[in-house]
């Protein structure tokens, strides 16, 4: 076990070298000197060894080509551990209060932007940084440009992206900002001809502003998937697959009411597009169709039978939503669900156990 741990640790330490984003192994002063010589700015990733979102960024976001292409072209990128070496002094200087925090400075050490928190989407992460460092993309300037009638892809992407960031700026989400962003993109999309809709510059419409394969824009993307610019065809295909995956996840966790006609259209899309590779969705189909009949006892029996064969994504989704799935069940059904969940504890990690314990509390009436 110790040997395996050391191998994994070595891989983790080596991983940054594989990232698309070129984080240089230099000191802060060396980064400043390099930025002056290369006529670039400096991008600093303040992290700690214990920060989960920091590790997520290094594993999932910084290796992305679009992120690396953007950051490497504009910045000398460095990672600074805020708790070691020169890190504590620099974290204090740049008023770092959370991790990760990303700071961009010019070669004269003037702060161009500060951004707290990680991101799940590379394009959105890059867009956020770009808006923060570009004076022509300040909130006031974006509004001015939009209200003056400008409708370039760059502007609509930046302005709608800013609106989406504003949704979660406060403790209570402001969904009106999301509505504004989606309407802005829909209006822009409506004003494009087919040739323009398929251009690479308009990729943001499909990757950031579609939420379901049943959306009108998503339907257009699916119908025209083979006509997009060659440089973005793979990303279009990836977005289509992601939308269908999320839609099935809504059904398998009862986040949407079961509608036979709509479900049949989604299932048909998955099968017609060849997305059910290695029976990825087969077990989920059976569970959803059983649940749609309304017999929770029969659904639970099938759930117990199918659980081991489900892919990990849907296993986790159902575990985290068991209380909602069986909310309408009688006490006998709820007791069976609780017994089934407890029987799975030994194969769960700590995070899942915590969430499943909450589900048990709801199923059993609290206090367990």
């Amino acid at each position: 076990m110790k040997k395996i741990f050391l191998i994994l640790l070595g891989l983790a330490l080596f991983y940054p070298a594989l990232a698309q984003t070129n984080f240089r192994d230099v000191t802060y002063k060396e980064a400043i000197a390099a930025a002056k010589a290369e006529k670039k700015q400096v991008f600093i990733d303040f992290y700690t060894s214990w920060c989960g979102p920091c590790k997520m960024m290094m594993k999932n976001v910084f290796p992305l080509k679009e992120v690396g292409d953007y950051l490497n072209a504009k910045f000398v990128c460095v990672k600074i551990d805020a708790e070691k070496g020169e890190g504590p002094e620099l974290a204090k200087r740049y008023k770092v209060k959370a991790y990760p925090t990303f700071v961009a400075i010019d070669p004269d050490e003037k702060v161009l932007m500060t951004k707290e928190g990680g991101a799940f989407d590379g394009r959105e992460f890059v867009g956020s940084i770009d808006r923060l460092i570009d004076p022509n993309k300040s909130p006031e300037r974006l509004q001015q440009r939009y209200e003056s009638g400008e409708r370039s892809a760059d502007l609509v992407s930046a302005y709608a992206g800013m609106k989406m960031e504003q949704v979660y700026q406060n403790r209570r989400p402001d969904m009106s900002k999301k509505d504004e962003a989606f309407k802005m993109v829909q209006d822009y999309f409506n004003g494009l001809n087919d040739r323009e809709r398929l251009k690479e510059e308009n990729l943001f419409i499909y990757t950031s502003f579609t939420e379901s394969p049943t959306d009108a824009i998503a339907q257009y993307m699916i119908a025209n998937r083979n006509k997009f610019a060659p440089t973005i065809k793979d990303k279009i295909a990836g977005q289509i697959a992601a939308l269908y995956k999320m839609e099935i996840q809504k059904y398998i966790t009862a986040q949407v009411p079961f509608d036979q006609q709509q479900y049949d259209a989604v299932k048909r899309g998955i099968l017609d597009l060849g997305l059910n590779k290695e029976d990825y969705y087969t077990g989920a189909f059976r569970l959803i169709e059983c649940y749609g009949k309304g017999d929770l006892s029969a659904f639970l029996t099938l759930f117990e039978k199918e659980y081991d064969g489900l892919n990990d994504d849907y296993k986790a989704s159902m575990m985290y939503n068991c209380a909602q799935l069986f909310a309408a069940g009688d006490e006998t059904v709820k007791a069976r669900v609780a017994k089934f969940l407890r029987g799975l504890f030994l194969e769960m990690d700590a995070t899942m156990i915590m969430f499943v314990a909450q589900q048990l509390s709801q199923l059993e009436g609290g206090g367990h």
Side-chain angles (χ1 to χ4, degrees):
M1 180 62 71
K2 183 177 180 181
K3 182 178 180 180
I4 293 173
F5 172 77
L6 290 174
I7 293 172
L8 292 174
L9 178 61
L11 289 173
L13 292 172
F14 177 71
Y15 189 85
L18 303 178
Q20 184 77 33
T21 303
N22 179 25
F23 283 104
R24 308 189 194 188
D25 186 16
V26 296
T27 65
Y28 173 77
K29 288 184 177 180
E30 289 170 340
I32 295 294
K36 289 179 179 178
E38 298 172 27
K39 294 182 171 54
K40 291 183 177 181
Q41 298 159 349
V42 179
F43 177 85
I44 307 173
D45 172 9
F46 282 101
Y47 73 100
T48 66
S49 60
W50 46 262
C51 166
C54 302
K55 297 174 183 177
M56 183 278 295
M57 288 293 297
M58 202 61 202
K59 179 180 179 182
N60 298 329
V61 178
F62 288 126
L64 296 174
K65 184 177 186 303
E66 60 264 37
V67 176
D69 287 349
Y70 176 84
L71 292 177
N72 296 340
K74 292 179 179 291
F75 300 99
V76 171
C77 301
V78 291
K79 293 178 65 65
I80 293 179
D81 188 330
E83 296 180 336
K84 296 180 180 178
E86 61 184 350
E89 178 186 344
L90 290 169
K92 182 178 180 181
R93 182 194 303 184
Y94 290 109
K95 301 177 181 178
V96 175
K97 298 178 181 178
Y99 304 102
T101 289
F102 308 103
V103 177
I105 60 175
D106 66 17
D108 294 323
E109 301 179 71
K110 175 186 175 183
V111 176
L112 303 173
M113 74 99 194
T114 299
K115 176 177 173 59
E116 292 184 352
F120 293 99
D121 183 270
R123 188 180 180 90
E124 291 177 6
F125 180 68
V126 165
S128 177
I129 294 172
D130 197 47
R131 288 191 295 276
L132 289 168
I133 66 170
D134 186 347
N136 205 34
K137 292 180 180 177
S138 68
E140 297 78 16
R141 182 67 182 125
L142 287 173
Q143 181 177 354
Q144 182 185 53
R145 290 169 62 191
Y146 190 80
E147 291 180 352
S148 71
E150 182 183 340
R151 292 297 183 272
S152 65
D154 185 56
L155 169 65
V156 175
S157 176
Y159 197 23
M162 183 196 76
K163 294 283 186 184
M164 290 300 292
E165 280 196 344
Q166 291 174 343
V167 173
Y168 299 102
Q169 280 184 343
N170 300 312
R171 183 170 296 181
R172 178 175 296 178
D174 182 357
M175 301 312 292
S176 68
K177 296 296 184 183
K178 179 180 178 181
D179 293 340
E180 290 176 22
F182 271 73
K183 184 180 185 306
M184 188 184 305
V185 173
Q186 182 69 62
D187 290 345
Y188 172 68
F189 178 82
N190 292 342
L192 300 174
N193 59 39
D194 283 336
R195 181 180 58 82
E196 293 167 333
R197 289 175 176 179
L198 302 173
K199 286 184 174 181
E200 182 175 2
E201 67 182 22
N202 287 315
L203 177 64
F204 77 94
I205 298 174
Y206 309 100
T207 57
S208 298
F209 293 94
T210 53
E211 298 183 303
S212 165
T214 62
D215 293 347
I217 291 179
Q219 286 288 296
Y220 179 89
M221 171 177 62
I222 294 167
N224 294 277
R225 60 190 180 279
N226 295 321
K227 300 178 183 178
F228 282 89
T231 51
I232 62 172
K233 274 188 178 179
D234 287 348
K235 292 179 180 178
I236 290 294
Q239 178 65 3
I240 291 171
L243 289 177
Y244 276 109
K245 181 178 177 179
M246 288 188 291
E247 198 71 7
I248 290 298
Q249 195 161 23
K250 293 176 188 175
Y251 277 105
I252 204 170
T253 56
Q255 294 176 41
V256 294
F258 183 80
D259 181 291
Q260 188 71 56
Q261 187 175 358
Q262 291 180 2
Y263 166 74
D264 286 345
V266 171
K267 180 179 179 180
R268 186 166 55 252
I270 289 173
L271 297 177
D272 289 348
L273 293 169
L275 298 176
N276 192 31
K277 296 175 182 177
E278 298 180 356
D279 288 325
Y280 184 87
Y281 289 104
T282 301
F285 288 154
R286 285 195 287 264
L287 285 164
I288 293 167
E289 289 158 16
C290 181
Y291 188 81
K293 295 176 181 178
D295 185 340
L296 289 180
S297 179
F299 173 68
L300 175 55
T301 298
L302 184 63
F303 180 33
E304 293 168 335
K305 178 182 177 181
E306 294 277 356
Y307 178 79
D308 286 339
L310 288 174
N311 63 68
D312 290 343
D313 293 330
Y314 290 138
K315 276 185 179 179
S317 294
M318 295 189 77
M319 287 292 100
Y320 295 163
N321 291 275
C322 265
Q324 180 175 330
L325 281 166
F326 293 96
D330 58 27
E331 293 306 311
T332 300
V333 167
K334 290 181 178 178
R336 280 180 59 198
V337 177
K339 181 179 179 181
F340 178 66
L341 294 182
R342 291 182 185 281
L344 297 173
F345 270 168
L346 289 177
E347 64 184 69
M348 296 180 189
D349 60 27
T351 300
M352 183 174 280
I353 288 175
M354 178 181 68
F355 280 103
V356 171
Q358 294 174 353
Q359 299 298 303
L360 284 169
S361 180
Q362 294 178 53
L363 287 165
E364 299 175 333
H368 295 270

